[in-house]
Amino acid sequence: MLKVFEPDNVLYVCTCGSEKPITKIYFCRHCSQLRCGDCVSHEVDSHYCQNCLEYMPSPEARLKKNKCANCFNCPSCMHTLSTRASNVQVPNPDNDPKIVSKKFYYLTCGFCRWTSRDVGIPDQTTASGGWQETENPNSKRISQLMEYYRLLAQKEKLEKERKKINQKYSYLHISEKYGMSANVVRKLAGLPPSVSSKDETKKSEQLTLPEATSAVEPLPNSFLTQPLNLASVSTMKQRLFSPQFQPAYTSNLFPQNKYMHIKRSQRCKICEHNLSKPEYNPSSIKFKIQLAAFYHIPELRIKSVSKLYLEKTCRVEMVLINPTPHPAHITFEDIEDPPKNLSPMKLPPGELILAPRDDTAEFDDVTDSKNYKDDPNVVTFRKSNKLGFMFSLTPTSKDVVVGFRLKHDFINMVVTLPGETPREPQVVWITHTLKIKLGTIIGET
């Protein structure tokens, strides 16, 4: 049986120490360092609906609670609802005794066959829009609690600011020296206006905070007298899908507005340059800037591994891929003070040269190994920008993991603005630490 090696078996060590596959890290060409998801700052560029691809600015999305007004999810199976039309015979509005047919629209799910008519939602006369969101019965209480705690947070913030300012100088000293009021001094200091204690007391008196109690309402008699129909009871997933209502029965399931998705850009935390920036158009999958590591860093893959035995020399065949349009020179180095879980290995000596990437060579079966002086004991094959090589290791633990340092040159093409003198490309030598998971040993012999 052929063993398949996953891409997660080859891990690149980021500058922060985390181990990630090459498909999940970025390469900052300004810092010449690897950056993982924890080493970049995430910025929201735009909001859009994944169903109708409607673009929405961030302020508008915030007002609409990051929900699309035209698209809904099924409350039963959580799939997207579609709009269906039906002809209904209605009286003629022009006082004509004739009956005319009129189109009405309703929501239906193509997976579980749930419809908006099941819960008594009236049909609409238009295909898009007009579906009103069900109002939360506790919305007034929630808004009162949010306003109360917002006042508390503001009061605590003002007290902290007052303590910091009192350590340096007091408002009384400034007002006496320059004849300014306390509100003017706060405005000059860039602080928000103080909230009067009377307003705080008035708002806090209007709100009654909930108190914990041991009294529990008894169950209705229907739970004991009537038989249980599981088809009419909602599941835990359906209840959590509507946290504002948490319906106990399927007859109370209402469609939920689809949440907006975002297009985000990643920025390096060190030099603050963009590493990834998508297009604003929701239907576009292109990027304005895309500095993913597999576009700039040589990729290492596992091709084959011999049977692994404890304390016995084994051989591994790897594949190197050059993604850049420039030749790559690669050397291998041992890790200084390696961890105990790493098995000792014999790295390929000398330098390996990878040909530049050529999209037309992907359809050519002719190898170009004659142009390179490769050691047949190390290099197993060469095709286009790919190269296979062998190395040996001696497993010392049950889970075989090897590690080494990969050093290669990177040609940084400096972008110049129109009218500037073109600058020569910069050649930078970069070293990465790699860890490879080869599997588990078979036995001692």
Side-chain angles (χ1 to χ4, degrees):
M1 182 177 179
L2 181 62
K3 185 176 181 180
V4 179
F5 294 94
E6 299 293 337
D8 294 350
N9 291 342
V10 180
L11 303 176
Y12 289 70
V13 180
C14 180
T15 51
C16 65
S18 61
E19 302 172 0
K20 302 286 184 180
I22 194 172
T23 55
K24 296 183 180 180
I25 54 178
Y26 297 92
F27 174 72
C28 182
R29 60 191 309 171
H30 303 277
C31 303
S32 299
Q33 297 289 341
L34 296 179
R35 304 294 182 202
C36 65
D38 300 330
C39 300
V40 297
S41 57
H42 302 264
E43 301 174 355
V44 177
D45 286 344
S46 61
H47 295 76
Y48 71 98
C49 176
Q50 64 172 351
N51 187 49
C52 63
L53 297 180
E54 179 187 1
Y55 168 78
M56 189 178 295
S58 297
E60 184 179 355
R62 194 179 300 111
L63 291 175
K64 293 184 177 180
K65 300 179 181 179
N66 294 328
K67 294 181 180 180
C68 180
N70 301 323
C71 303
F72 297 88
N73 285 327
C74 176
S76 179
C77 64
M78 293 74 182
H79 285 87
T80 304
L81 294 176
S82 57
T83 306
R84 295 290 178 87
S86 62
N87 292 324
V88 180
Q89 303 294 330
V90 296
N92 194 342
D94 299 334
N95 296 326
D96 194 338
K98 293 183 179 180
I99 303 298
V100 297
S101 65
K102 189 176 181 180
K103 279 190 176 182
F104 284 89
Y105 300 89
Y106 64 98
L107 298 175
T108 179
C109 179
F111 292 88
C112 66
R113 303 301 179 183
W114 182 92
T115 63
S116 57
R117 296 173 176 177
D118 296 343
V119 292
I121 299 178
D123 297 347
Q124 302 293 330
T125 57
T126 57
S128 61
W131 304 99
Q132 295 183 357
E133 186 178 359
T134 307
E135 185 180 357
N136 188 357
N138 300 319
S139 58
K140 185 177 180 180
R141 175 67 175 175
I142 294 174
S143 60
Q144 290 178 353
L145 291 173
M146 291 180 63
E147 180 67 18
Y148 174 76
Y149 288 112
R150 187 187 65 81
L151 291 175
L152 286 182
Q154 185 179 8
K155 184 178 179 181
E156 293 178 358
K157 183 179 179 181
L158 292 176
E159 290 179 356
K160 291 181 181 179
E161 293 175 352
R162 190 180 296 112
K163 290 181 181 178
K164 291 181 181 179
I165 294 176
N166 289 338
Q167 293 176 358
K168 297 181 180 180
Y169 50 85
S170 63
Y171 290 136
L172 182 62
H173 173 71
I174 297 177
S175 61
E176 290 178 354
K177 186 176 181 180
Y178 299 101
M180 298 181 182
S181 62
N183 291 331
V184 175
V185 175
R186 292 185 62 84
K187 186 176 181 181
L188 293 176
L191 299 176
S194 59
V195 181
S196 61
S197 59
K198 293 182 179 179
D199 295 340
E200 292 180 358
T201 306
K202 187 182 295 183
K203 290 185 178 181
S204 61
E205 288 178 354
Q206 295 177 357
L207 180 66
T208 56
L209 295 179
E211 297 181 0
T213 177
S214 59
V216 180
E217 296 181 0
L219 289 175
N221 294 330
S222 60
F223 279 80
L224 304 175
T225 58
Q226 298 180 1
L228 177 61
N229 185 9
L230 293 178
S232 63
V233 180
S234 61
T235 62
M236 186 62 67
K237 185 177 180 180
Q238 293 173 346
R239 298 184 189 186
L240 296 179
F241 187 66
S242 304
Q244 67 273 30
F245 303 106
Q246 299 186 12
Y249 298 96
T250 56
S251 58
N252 298 328
L253 295 176
F254 292 94
Q256 299 294 316
N257 294 76
K258 266 190 171 297
Y259 282 97
M260 306 290 288
H261 284 230
I262 63 171
K263 282 195 171 186
R264 60 178 180 174
S265 60
Q266 283 84 12
R267 190 183 296 272
C268 178
K269 290 184 178 180
I270 305 301
C271 64
E272 297 185 352
H273 284 88
N274 274 324
L275 302 181
S276 175
K277 189 173 183 62
E279 295 280 352
Y280 287 104
N281 188 4
S283 61
S284 176
I285 60 174
K286 296 181 179 180
F287 287 82
K288 296 180 179 179
I289 301 174
Q290 181 59 284
L291 296 181
F294 55 81
Y295 288 135
H296 306 279
I297 304 300
E299 182 182 358
L300 193 65
R301 298 179 183 176
I302 304 174
K303 185 179 180 182
S304 62
V305 180
S306 63
K307 294 183 179 181
L308 300 174
Y309 294 99
L310 188 63
E311 301 295 342
K312 188 176 180 180
T313 303
C314 307
R315 295 181 65 84
V316 179
E317 184 177 6
M318 307 290 295
V319 179
L320 270 172
I321 303 175
N322 181 18
T324 64
H326 309 283
H329 301 76
I330 298 174
T331 56
F332 299 96
E333 300 175 356
D334 293 324
I335 299 178
E336 297 179 359
D337 300 329
K340 295 182 180 180
N341 62 335
L342 295 182
S343 300
M345 58 180 299
K346 185 179 179 181
L347 293 171
E351 184 182 74
L352 299 179
I353 302 176
L354 282 176
R357 177 181 176 84
D358 186 6
D359 294 334
T360 60
E362 294 292 332
F363 307 96
D364 190 3
D365 296 334
V366 180
T367 59
D368 52 355
S369 59
K370 296 181 180 179
N371 300 330
Y372 301 91
K373 297 180 181 179
D374 297 327
D375 185 0
N377 297 326
V378 176
V379 178
T380 57
F381 75 93
R382 179 185 290 274
K383 179 183 178 182
S384 181
N385 62 329
K386 300 179 182 179
L387 179 144
F389 67 95
M390 300 284 295
F391 68 85
S392 58
L393 73 148
T394 305
T396 56
S397 59
K398 182 179 179 180
D399 297 326
V400 183
V401 181
V402 296
F404 54 87
R405 294 173 65 83
L406 185 146
K407 185 177 180 181
H408 67 95
D409 56 341
F410 172 72
I411 300 179
N412 191 1
M413 303 298 294
V414 182
V415 180
T416 57
L417 298 176
E420 291 185 355
T421 304
R423 290 177 286 181
E424 295 184 357
Q426 301 176 357
V427 180
V428 183
W429 284 89
I430 309 173
T431 305
H432 309 290
T433 303
L434 280 78
K435 292 185 179 180
I436 305 175
K437 301 177 182 179
L438 298 176
T440 57
I441 61 174
I442 297 177
E444 298 182 356
T445 57

